[in-house]
DNA sequence: TACGATTAAATCGTGCACGATATATCTCGC
DNA sequence: GCGAGATATATCGTGCACGATTTAATCGTA
């Protein structure tokens, strides 16, 4: 019943129908929920992600952290320096390969894990989702990310 | 069959299982796909979102734009000044209420819409999603955002 | 009309994020 | 062992994003 669009009609979705905008806005919304919780332990959201990564696996290199978090050294280096200045971790060149810097938790950084313990439950509650729905959504978004990453790699490969 | 956790076991999800991290990473991935497309028309991603908003509705105030994009004036003002310097829009105080600034597209800003025409299809392709799946995911994430926003409002209302 | 309260933008300081580049170290072929 | 290329991190400049504060205009009410 609806009039079929002419073949070369440009795609002009409304801002609030764009998936990328939904993701962008959800990121903002998550940040706002995390803010008061993280303020209480003195971390920003990206700093919290780094601490989560280190609590899961200590002693990683800057590059390995960057790969897990999709961040460049130009972002991580100053961020890690701030965490180091707070006393949560140390940064030291690997004695075997002095190119790489290993990031290690201090006892204070380990201890912070206990203070951050209640955060995930608060966030889960704020999402208003049941665990299975949350897991499904998480997987859908992760699959989307994988597709986008592949697309940007293919686009940038400069095939000749 | 699995051992039930003790009642006060802290929730310690892995970084790569966190919904917030999936959103964070998807935002990065979208940015990477958009980057080459937007470079071609000289916009950053947030600038593109502002232009999308204005193409949809011209002459909005800074505050109204901020509400649609969830951005503060402290973010928008310099961003809009950059777009103004590029010649895509004008910023002028409303003569009826001199507190508000109205943002209007220039002919150049209108014309940019044609150059940006092919972008949505490129992005759609990069997601690897069929339209119905994309719409569903978009709605799920929008609903999540609404929940998160409500939670952060309730948490911050200082009920006495 | 006059004045306190509210509203809208702008400004300031901090931190994240990227790309381009620099610097130091390592690896491989010889 | 030596030098060319590769690798890992750091540095620099630009722009986004926020909260706190400032400035200016408007509104309400006496």
């Amino acid at each position: 019943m609806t009039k079929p669009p002419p073949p070369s009609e440009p795609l002009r979705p409304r801002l609030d129908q764009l998936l990328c905008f939904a993701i962008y806005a959800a990121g903002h919304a998550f940040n706002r929920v995390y803010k008061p919780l993280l303020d209480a332990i003195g971390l920003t959201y990206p700093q919290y992600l780094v601490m989560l990564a280190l609590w899961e696996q200590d002693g990683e290199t800057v590059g390995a952290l960057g790969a897990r978090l999709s961040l460049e050294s130009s972002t991580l280096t100053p961020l890690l320096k701030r965490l180091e200045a707070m006393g949560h971790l140390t940064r030291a060149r690997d004695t075997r390969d002095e190119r790489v810097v290993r990031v290690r938790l201090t006892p204070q950084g380990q201890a912070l894990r206990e203070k951050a313990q209640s955060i995930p439950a608060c966030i889960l509650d704020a999402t208003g989702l049941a665990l299975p729905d949350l897991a499904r959504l998480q997987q859908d978004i992760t699959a989307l990310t994988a597709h986008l990453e592949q697309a940007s790699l293919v686009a940038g490969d400069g095939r000749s």
Side-chain angles (χ1 to χ4, degrees), chain A:
Chain A
M1 298 312 169
T2 63
K3 187 178 62 177
S8 60
E9 181 80 1
L11 218 54
R12 278 181 180 165
R14 291 173 30 158
L15 180 60
D16 61 0
Q17 290 173 350
L18 286 177
L19 180 57
C20 65
F21 180 67
I23 299 262
Y24 177 82
H28 288 168
F30 262 121
N31 250 303
R32 277 190 273 278
V33 176
Y34 269 109
K35 185 79 171 48
L37 302 172
L38 292 177
D39 279 352
I41 59 171
L43 295 180
T44 66
Y45 179 62
Q47 287 167 5
Y48 174 64
L49 292 181
V50 167
M51 294 304 287
L52 277 178
L54 289 173
W55 289 329
E56 210 173 285
Q57 166 141 19
D58 197 1
E60 286 204 276
T61 68
V62 172
L65 278 173
R68 289 182 67 188
L69 300 169
S70 322
L71 293 177
E72 310 293 321
S73 73
S74 45
T75 301
L76 272 178
T77 296
L79 192 159
L80 291 170
K81 282 184 176 176
R82 280 186 281 270
L83 288 172
E84 185 179 36
M86 291 181 221
H88 294 319
L89 52 81
T90 62
R91 300 181 317 123
R93 296 268 166 195
D94 190 311
T95 50
R96 312 287 284 278
D97 183 346
E98 298 234 331
R99 287 173 304 180
V100 318
V101 167
R102 296 219 165 257
V103 179
R104 278 179 258 267
L105 291 169
T106 60
Q108 183 192 121
Q110 304 258 8
L112 193 63
R113 187 175 194 174
E114 309 314 316
K115 293 192 199 158
Q117 191 179 95
S118 60
I119 291 179
C122 295
I123 297 299
L124 173 60
D125 186 57
T127 62
L129 290 173
L131 273 175
D133 293 337
L134 183 138
R136 201 161 29 76
L137 186 52
Q138 195 272 344
Q139 282 167 25
D140 288 350
I141 296 171
T142 300
L144 167 65
T145 301
H147 252 287
L148 291 172
E149 278 169 357
Q150 200 196 335
S152 62
L153 286 180
V154 170
D157 73 351
R159 60 117 192 78
S160 63

